[in-house]
Amino acid sequence: MSFTRRQATFLFDYSLNNHSITRVSVKKDLGILLTSDLDYHSHIEHVTYKSLKTLGFIKRFSSNFNLTYSLKNLYCLLVRPIIEYGSILWDPYTTSDSSLLEHVQRKFLNFASFAFNIHHEPHDYSPVLLHLQLSSLSDRRVLANINFLNKFTNDTINAPELLAEVNFRVPSKSSRLMAPYYVPRHTTNYGRNHPIHRMMRLTNENFSSH
């Protein structure tokens, strides 16, 4: 498997002990689907499908056994971890991929609104989120990014290789700009979504809003 973002690539046939090594375009590593073009759309589709299947099981199970008041716990324990595992790596930067993930939670909120008799306008699930004290998945991913960056900059996680990628802002003169990190500029959304750069950018934005 070769990783590249280039349109034109040179592929070589590799062998080991005179046995040809089969080339693949998708490989799962530590639960994350990796593709040769370094795009995580396939992984997002995979976890969306898997979480919807689990949610469907919960809906059928709760209907049969009247577990209405356990719905939130079942969702948070069985469904949400599927669509959040490793998200600091593959956090989507396109609206379509983000919507795929939010679709899972909207399906749950729609079901929960009937179970708890929560009135809401069509396609507006904010009252249900408020009632269940849940956050949007995108907000949770932002928090996960910020928390992870804080952990290895505070040495809670020993990751010197990652720490070397962090650019701390050291102002040369007094400035009102209090953002703690310098984030390199990118010309593409893909580059802007570089995990470490994304974490620094989100931390800066969160820092500025307080």
Side-chain angles (χ1 to χ4, degrees), residues 1 3 24-29 32-35:
M1 185 174 185
F3 296 101
V24 296
S25 58
V26 181
K27 178 69 176 178
K28 180 179 283 189
D29 186 29
I32 307 294
L33 282 181
L34 303 175
T35 58

Side-chain angles (χ1 to χ4, degrees), residues 15-29:
S15 61
L16 182 64
N17 295 329
N18 294 323
H19 293 284
S20 179
I21 299 176
T22 303
R23 179 176 295 276
V24 296
S25 58
V26 181
K27 178 69 176 178
K28 180 179 283 189
D29 186 29

Side-chain angles (χ1 to χ4, degrees), residues 46 61 82 89 93 118 145 153 171 201-202:
H46 172 71
F61 186 77
I82 298 174
L89 177 64
Y93 61 92
I118 305 170
N145 276 276
T153 53
R201 173 172 50 81
L202 292 174

